Amino acid sequence: MGLELAIWQGAGVPGDLDATLAEVARVAGEAARAGADLLVFPEGFLTGYHIPGLAPGGLPGVEAALEQAGRIAAETELAMVLGTHLDTPRGLRNSAVVFDALGAEIGRYHKRTLFGAWEKATFLPGDAPLRFDCGGLRVGVAICYDVEFPELIRAEAQAGVELVVVPTALMTPHERVAEAMVAARALENQIFVAYCNRSGREPELEFVGLSSIRDPRGAALAQAGAGPELLLAGIDGALIARERAANSYLDDLGRFL
Amino acid sequence: MGLELAIWQGAGVPGDLDATLAEVARVAGEAARAGADLLVFPEGFLTGYHIPGLAPGGLPGVEAALEQAGRIAAETELAMVLGTHLDTPRGLRNSAVVFDALGAEIGRYHKRTLFGAWEKATFLPGDAPLRFDCGGLRVGVAICYDVEFPELIRAEAQAGVELVVVPTALMTPHERVAEAMVAARALENQIFVAYCNRSGREPELEFVGLSSIRDPRGAALAQAGAGPELLLAGIDGALIARERAANSYLDDLGRFL
């Protein structure tokens, strides 16, 4: 069991669905040529992350763009996790849509922990995990602020998830989240964590990059700087059992706490 | 509200209570002259940490040594947290004894999560926190492996603890715990965390040092290398409210999860 994981630290073209889809297609082609099985995009990649004044009705064309993203997944034979805001009957959502390598939608994850005043005023929080199988591994999804809560990632590990992918939009001055927290989530659960941040700027925000793919010891299999970058890493699920054979946090958690 | 915190990254003289008490007295004097209010020693400092074959009855003199440690606290007018193994009526414990600045014992914390085969075979785990007030701050205690479980430190923060002191005995090849996890515990709870490791060697073990005192953003107020070192830092409790005013993990935890 193992998969080749790709994560795209990029900016897209916020507000321009066609231009952003062109970037999705270009990056998917590059990831496919590099042998990737799964490609992750940042939080709000399709729509842009920070859209001041966003209200219901303010996301025209997103559903059609998602159909096009599914076609890109099928053409490149890549599973994809695509961050996008969604306009749902119950309210606006900050979401990640998962496609399998045939281009079929597996599910839509809605961010459960909303960060800051704008997100809290704009979105309805999700209340459920989304897990799927890819390359023989069990994969879970978290979005940005979600990963800052150890409870949420612990629940993924306890449910058997081996890799958590985290589309994110981490901005200055919060670099410490990328630097200190992502490795801890991987290590304390002995799982893989892929933190996929945006690069570039949006109104009022400067994203910090610093995406990484972490192994079950918290070590970086791949580490980005600030600018656009495609990170690639082989995810060998057997490492999890090997780490837990020496010392299992999940077992000791059940034993003592 | 604020306190001057000192933590001693040292080796003691495992198996020699008198020599170790002399080190306690010397370090307490140094910490007092530096203006400290609270001095923390590593896990098992009084007795030594790794004692192969340790069995009930195998810790003679420890209670008398603890009385002497209390006298040192009183003489130096320092509150102290002293790691020591204890022989209790219910079984052996891996503990930290807390003294106030008058030398009175405040309480005995017993490590709740036992690490590895030797600890699990030797000690009875504790089942309760120990919290006390010092310099206007609420202080909690965790020992070594305890801090690797986010659940345990979260419970401290939710109980109002502002500083968690962590006597520890972290050995090779587990440097990543000191490097990745301690900062995350501070940051994800927006509290101070002081990780006080041993230096030197014991049978079969080499301790890695890397003690640190972390602020509510996870930043190191003081950071040790591998050898003996007294770390000092001012703990300003007002920083916690300032951090949480901008963004409160505990509030958002209650709101969303």
Side-chain angles (χ1 to χ4, degrees):
Chain A
M1 54 181 179
L3 69 84
E4 287 296 312
L5 174 65
I7 70 179
W8 173 239
Q9 175 173 295
V13 185
D16 186 335
L17 289 169
D18 288 339
T20 300
L21 280 170
E23 184 169 325
V24 169
R26 177 177 65 74
V27 171
E30 187 180 341
R33 284 189 297 277
D37 302 300
L38 173 63
L39 171 61
V40 181
F41 291 90
E43 181 180 15
F45 188 78
L46 184 60
T47 48
Y49 164 70
H50 188 213
I51 310 175
L54 179 63
L59 293 170
V62 167
E63 289 299 330
L66 285 169
E67 287 179 27
Q68 180 59 21
R71 282 191 287 273
I72 294 168
E75 286 162 11
T76 53
E77 297 177 42
L78 264 179
M80 293 200 324
V81 177
L82 179 58
T84 182
H85 301 336
L86 294 176
D87 199 345
T88 79
R90 298 189 54 195
L92 291 167
R93 304 283 199 167
N94 181 335
S95 305
V97 178
V98 181
F99 301 93
D100 68 18
L102 300 174
E105 223 187 273
I106 290 177
R108 296 177 171 208
Y109 174 79
H110 306 310
K111 186 177 188 176
R112 284 177 275 181
T113 60
L114 300 176
F115 175 77
W118 176 71
E119 284 196 26
K120 287 183 176 78
T122 303
F123 298 107
L124 185 69
D127 57 8
L130 176 64
R131 298 163 189 147
F132 60 100
D133 295 307
C134 187
L137 271 92
R138 191 77 176 149
V139 183
V141 183
I143 298 179
C144 195
Y145 197 43
D146 285 340
V147 85
E148 301 177 36
F149 293 87
E151 294 83 355
L152 209 150
I153 308 305
R154 181 71 94 202
E156 293 304 294
Q158 288 178 318
V161 163
E162 298 161 289
L163 163 66
V164 177
V165 298
V166 189
T168 196
L170 186 76
M171 68 288 283
T172 57
H174 301 290
E175 290 85 347
R176 60 191 183 278
V177 170
E179 292 161 352
M181 239 178 224
V182 177
R185 295 294 166 262
L187 173 55
E188 72 202 15
N189 293 295
Q190 298 170 304
I191 59 173
F192 293 87
V193 177
Y195 189 71
C196 179
N197 196 19
R198 306 181 65 95
S199 62
R201 293 169 169 276
E202 284 189 350
E204 303 165 38
L205 300 179
E206 179 178 356
F207 301 108
V208 301
L210 302 176
S211 298
S212 65
I213 301 173
R214 300 277 171 175
D215 77 6
R217 301 164 66 97
L221 298 173
Q223 170 71 57
E229 193 170 345
L230 184 68
L231 295 186
L232 293 154
I235 306 297
D236 176 5
L239 277 181
I240 293 175
R242 219 172 303 157
E243 277 300 304
R244 291 179 182 170
N247 180 56
S248 169
Y249 286 115
L250 293 185
D251 285 354
D252 283 339
L253 178 68
R255 190 189 312 244
F256 295 118
L257 297 179
Chain B
M1 56 180 177
L3 68 83
E4 288 295 313
L5 174 65
I7 69 179
W8 173 239
Q9 175 173 295
V13 185
D16 187 334
L17 290 169
D18 288 339
T20 300
L21 280 169
E23 184 168 324
V24 169
R26 178 177 65 73
V27 172
E30 186 179 341
R33 285 189 296 278
D37 302 300
L38 174 63
L39 171 61
V40 181
F41 290 90
E43 181 179 14
F45 188 77
L46 184 60
T47 48
Y49 163 70
H50 188 212
I51 309 176
L54 179 63
L59 294 170
V62 167
E63 291 299 329
L66 285 169
E67 288 178 26
Q68 181 60 19
R71 283 192 286 274
I72 294 168
E75 285 162 11
T76 52
E77 298 177 42
L78 264 178
M80 293 197 327
V81 177
L82 179 58
T84 182
H85 300 335
L86 294 176
D87 199 346
T88 79
R90 299 189 54 197
L92 291 168
R93 303 282 200 167
N94 181 335
S95 306
V97 177
V98 181
F99 301 93
D100 68 18
L102 300 173
E105 223 187 273
I106 291 177
R108 298 177 170 206
Y109 174 80
H110 306 310
K111 185 177 188 176
R112 283 177 276 181
T113 60
L114 300 176
F115 174 77
W118 177 71
E119 284 196 26
K120 288 182 175 76
T122 302
F123 298 107
L124 185 69
D127 57 8
L130 176 64
R131 298 164 189 146
F132 60 100
D133 295 307
C134 187
L137 271 92
R138 192 78 176 148
V139 183
V141 183
I143 297 180
C144 196
Y145 197 43
D146 285 341
V147 84
E148 301 178 36
F149 293 87
E151 294 84 355
L152 210 151
I153 308 305
R154 180 72 95 203
E156 293 304 294
Q158 289 178 318
V161 163
E162 296 160 290
L163 163 66
V164 177
V165 297
V166 189
T168 197
L170 186 76
M171 69 289 282
T172 56
H174 301 291
E175 290 86 345
R176 60 190 184 277
V177 170
E179 292 162 351
M181 240 178 223
V182 178
R185 294 293 167 263
L187 173 55
E188 72 202 15
N189 292 294
Q190 299 171 304
I191 59 173
F192 294 86
V193 176
Y195 190 71
C196 179
N197 196 19
R198 306 181 67 95
S199 62
R201 293 170 169 276
E202 284 189 349
E204 302 165 37
L205 301 179
E206 179 179 357
F207 301 109
V208 301
L210 301 177
S211 299
S212 65
I213 302 174
R214 300 277 169 175
D215 77 6
R217 301 164 66 96
L221 298 173
Q223 171 70 57
E229 191 170 347
L230 185 68
L231 295 186
L232 293 155
I235 306 297
D236 176 5
L239 278 181
I240 294 174
R242 218 171 303 157
E243 277 300 304
R244 292 179 182 170
N247 180 55
S248 169
Y249 286 116
L250 293 185
D251 285 355
D252 283 340
L253 179 68
R255 190 189 311 246
F256 294 118
L257 298 179

